[in-house]
Amino acid sequence: MTSDNHERETPRSANRPMPPSVPPRPKRVSTHQPAPRPSARPGGEPVVDPTRAMPAQPRSPRPQRQQQRSQQPPSYAPQGRPAAPQRGAAPGQERYEAAAPAAPRPRRRKHRCCTVALVVLAILVALGLWFMVWVNGQINHVDALSGAADTPGETTLIVGSDSREGWDNDDGTEGARTDTIMVLHKPESGPVALISIPRDSYVAIPDHGKNKINAAFSFGGPQLLVETVEGLTGLTMDHYMEIGLTGVEDMVDAVGGVELCYDQDVSDKKSELEWEAGCHMADGETALAFARMRYSDPLGDIGRAERQRQVVAAVSEEILSPSTLLNPAKMIPVTSATLGAFRVDEGTGVMGLASIALDLRAGLGGQAVTGTPPITSLGYGVSGVGSTVLLTEEELPQFWEDIAEGNFDPGEEVGGVN
């Protein structure tokens, strides 16, 4: 047994032959014994054995939370924020507090704004409806249209008269005379035209032979005048608008006066116009005399037609200006004065007046065709009739056809004395 035990205690490597150049190394056995370590330090603090493995520490959740936060859309609320550190907490084990939920948006204010806007809109609509009803009740109507077949475009006959027949503010003036006759035509294509027909134009009047055109108004009122103009122009009148020239005073005064220009000194007894050459602010009385004066004008009816268009343009510009339309304190009296100065055909209401106003504004603009029909003579004498304006009859058909079809260039001045 001794020999067997000895063989077992001898390592196997000892039996292996060693290289001749390397002597066998004897096995070294350490005789040093480590001193026992105390289990506690002075003061009772335990001593941790460095040879003992440390317990596994839990992984910090912080990197995972940061990764989650980086993957969330920027609009999401933050996941949390670290709370104040606690005593004895190991590194990486901070306690996180949940983020406060986002405050809800204030919807009550939005609802209030919508409610206020709806209320204001309802008030404006109600005021607009009331204004339209009020305007419709203020319109003066007259039977004027002939009922002839329609022609292309939109045509309005504008007449300046001192007649008071059928008006609410009748002042006892008898008779009916027309100082202004204008044809406002909006073609299907082309510029709007505003053509003045001299009141002394020698034309054929249905059932009354040939006479001055303003005599048609005296013979048969608006209906006969409309038929006479339709026979002269070949255009069917879609609307009729009659302006009392004395009502011009009220309109001009209601807008606070208008600026008018004339480059000659005038002292006219019949119209009572006293004018110094240049541009001046005119009140209602002066504006009316300015529109009616002709005997002191070398151009006679042609010059008067130009001044009448100037007065109408100045008044229209003031009425349609934002300072009037957006100011109820000014718009109501101006509208009342304007409607009091007009008579329109039976079929024209509030919307028809608005359409006429837009066409008239275009007819008074710089792109409109203006002027008179072709004229041969401004002083053509006729026995029993007196001095008349003789129109160039051979040119009239083509002239009115060009007006109807919008063939003239925008801003062109047409007609006049040949």
Side-chain angles (χ1 to χ4, degrees), residues 230-390:
E230 289 179 345
L232 175 66
T233 64
L235 298 171
T236 298
M237 301 298 113
D238 299 294
H239 301 286
Y240 173 86
M241 176 180 288
E242 180 184 322
I243 307 173
L245 288 185
T246 55
V248 172
E249 296 185 33
D250 297 333
M251 288 191 296
V252 173
D253 291 336
V255 298
V258 294
E259 185 179 37
L260 303 174
C261 299
Y262 188 61
D263 58 0
Q264 295 184 17
D265 294 337
V266 176
S267 180
D268 189 74
K269 293 182 179 180
K270 290 194 174 183
S271 65
E272 299 182 354
L273 176 64
E274 299 293 333
W275 189 267
E276 184 179 348
C279 297
H280 307 285
M281 288 296 297
D283 59 8
E285 183 179 358
T286 303
L288 177 59
F290 185 89
R292 302 187 67 178
M293 186 272 294
R294 67 167 178 162
Y295 291 101
S296 298
D297 190 338
L299 297 178
D301 276 343
I302 294 180
R304 180 168 65 175
E306 293 176 353
R307 289 191 304 279
Q308 288 171 349
R309 289 195 297 268
Q310 185 181 163
V311 172
V312 173
V315 174
S316 300
E317 184 178 355
E318 290 294 330
I319 293 176
L320 298 177
S321 66
S323 61
T324 300
L325 296 178
L326 300 179
N327 184 1
K330 187 177 181 181
M331 182 178 64
I332 298 299
V334 168
T335 303
S336 179
T338 302
L339 294 176
F342 284 106
R343 286 200 304 178
V344 296
D345 60 276
E346 295 286 354
T348 299
V350 177
M351 301 307 296
L353 279 178
S355 177
I356 294 173
L358 293 176
D359 292 345
L360 182 58
R361 188 173 190 178
L364 296 170
Q367 298 298 309
V369 176
T370 58
T372 66
I375 298 173
T376 299
S377 174
L378 292 174
Y380 180 71
V382 178
S383 177
V385 177
S387 179
T388 67
V389 174
L390 182 62

Side-chain angles (χ1 to χ4, degrees), residues 21-167:
S21 60
V22 180
R25 298 177 62 182
K27 182 178 179 182
R28 298 178 61 183
V29 180
S30 176
T31 59
H32 176 74
Q33 295 293 332
R37 294 180 176 271
S39 60
R41 295 178 180 176
E45 184 177 355
V47 177
V48 179
D49 189 353
T51 61
R52 182 177 297 178
M54 296 293 292
Q57 298 292 333
R59 296 183 61 182
S60 174
R62 193 170 192 176
Q64 183 179 1
R65 288 182 178 273
Q66 291 178 351
Q67 183 179 3
Q68 292 176 356
R69 254 184 295 176
S70 62
Q71 294 176 355
Q72 292 176 351
S75 60
Y76 285 5
Q79 296 295 320
R81 58 185 178 83
Q86 296 180 347
R87 291 185 179 181
Q93 293 188 352
E94 294 88 348
R95 183 172 58 87
Y96 278 74
E97 293 180 352
R105 295 182 179 180
R107 297 183 179 179
R108 187 172 299 177
R109 180 178 299 177
K110 182 177 180 181
H111 292 331
R112 289 178 179 176
C113 293
C114 293
T115 302
V116 171
L118 291 175
V119 171
V120 172
L121 180 61
I123 293 175
L124 292 177
V125 171
L127 290 176
L129 292 176
W130 171 85
F131 182 75
M132 292 180 64
V133 172
W134 176 77
V135 169
N136 194 62
Q138 298 293 315
I139 298 176
N140 296 293
H141 291 95
V142 61
D143 187 10
L145 301 184
S146 65
D150 290 338
T151 52
E154 194 80 7
T155 309
T156 302
L157 179 62
I158 302 175
V159 177
S161 170
D162 57 6
S163 173
R164 294 297 181 271
E165 182 181 357
W167 288 47

